[in-house]
Amino acid sequence: MTISAEKQPTGGQPGMHTPPVVAPDAWEAAREDLLVKEKALTHARDKLASERRRMPWMAVTKDYVFAGPAGKVSLLNLFDGRRQLIVYRAFFEPGVEGWPDHACVGCSMVADQVAHLAHLNARDTTLVFVSRAPQANIVRLKARMGWEMPWFTITDSFDADFGVGEWHGTNVFYRDGDRLFRTYFINNRGDEQMGSTWNYLDITPLGRQEAWEDSPERYPQTPPYEWWNWHDSYGESATPGKK
């Protein structure tokens, strides 16, 4: 049952048309109707992720060099010994709004939402940010904003070669020994969903590595929940499926 129009909430805005206010049973029925659609969206997203895990890979044959806190490093070094690497190109450089005090507003919002990296590391995955800004500026910005993700300086054509020369974007790579492969790329509004551990894992070639997922044969998988841990309890040598 709706209440009378004059009692409808306005949200503090004159002329604002809000949804009707109903009794609890009607509200619950509406929630159940919407839940059916939300579950369908979840299943569709899972199916899309399974297709993503079957995308062809592209070999990375060029050597790329980045500047880090300890000096020059290669793209292989960015993996930090893990099998999977997610690289977000953040705009922080001369000419970008906010320079030198801030990175671009959108990239800063992405950085603010990055979950604790221990959970990604436990699934054999490393996340790094890269920009054109010198390391001194990056170190200062991270300290000011409280960001803890590894953040490196682009020194060559990496951004142009991987679709992030003129805009932000997220590239995903896989390491097989010393051989590197590009497995996925997303940019524009697709970056808005990034930040949570789950969404980051969903764009990697191995996925969440949980037994319920539809992944190619013999992909690493462990039961859900069992590998989850407090971020300070994984240990430095955390591996998939082991706390």
Side-chain angles (χ1 to χ4, degrees):
M1 176 185 297
T2 62
I3 61 176
S4 58
E6 63 270 21
K7 294 183 179 179
Q8 286 288 106
T10 65
Q13 297 292 328
M16 180 176 173
H17 297 286
T18 62
V21 175
V22 299
D25 57 344
W27 184 90
E28 189 63 36
R31 188 191 75 86
E32 290 292 338
D33 287 344
L34 187 60
L35 184 61
V36 172
K37 298 176 182 178
E38 290 176 335
K39 289 297 183 182
L41 177 61
T42 297
H43 295 152
R45 187 167 56 242
D46 290 341
K47 185 176 185 300
L48 181 62
S50 75
E51 293 180 23
R52 189 182 293 124
R53 290 190 290 278
R54 290 168 170 83
M55 270 189 61
W57 295 0
M58 183 188 81
V60 178
T61 57
K62 187 175 178 179
D63 293 328
Y64 295 96
V65 177
F66 302 84
K72 291 184 177 181
V73 294
S74 66
L75 180 60
L76 178 63
N77 295 143
L78 298 191
F79 282 78
D80 199 20
R82 301 184 181 92
R83 280 193 294 184
Q84 302 189 124
L85 173 68
I86 301 171
V87 182
Y88 177 73
R89 196 274 203 249
F91 273 92
F92 179 45
E93 60 191 62
V96 173
E97 183 180 1
W99 175 266
D101 297 322
H102 283 291
C104 97
V105 247
C107 295
S108 298
M109 288 184 70
V110 171
D112 280 337
Q113 297 173 71
V114 171
H116 201 287
L117 298 179
H119 304 297
L120 280 176
N121 297 163
R123 295 272 91 170
D124 223 3
T125 304
T126 298
L127 170 71
V128 303
F129 276 40
V130 297
S131 294
R132 284 274 173 189
Q135 275 298 296
N137 297 83
I138 290 174
V139 169
R140 176 184 49 75
L141 178 66
K142 287 176 61 178
R144 172 177 180 170
M145 302 301 288
W147 296 330
E148 297 185 358
M149 73 284 287
W151 198 322
F152 296 88
T153 301
I154 301 168
T155 68
D156 48 32
S157 62
F158 175 86
D159 46 5
D161 292 349
F162 289 102
V164 288
E166 299 297 332
W167 199 237
H168 60 84
T170 302
N171 277 282
V172 185
F173 300 92
Y174 186 86
R175 178 179 69 86
D176 180 14
D178 290 342
R179 295 191 304 158
L180 306 183
F181 304 90
R182 187 191 194 194
T183 65
Y184 187 66
F185 174 64
I186 190 169
N187 61 358
N188 295 322
R189 287 199 62 196
D191 275 329
E192 291 179 3
Q193 66 172 325
M194 293 297 104
S196 83
T197 298
W198 310 125
N199 285 335
Y200 275 130
L201 287 176
D202 283 343
I203 66 171
T204 65
L206 298 183
R208 303 186 191 188
Q209 301 164 56
E210 295 182 343
W212 62 270
E213 289 181 300
D214 176 15
S215 290
E217 186 178 357
R218 301 184 69 178
Y219 268 42
Q221 291 187 324
T222 57
Y225 306 108
E226 288 188 7
W227 71 272
W228 302 4
N229 209 342
W230 297 282
H231 73 249
D232 61 353
S233 299
Y234 284 112
E236 291 184 4
S237 59
T239 54
K242 296 181 181 179
K243 293 185 178 181

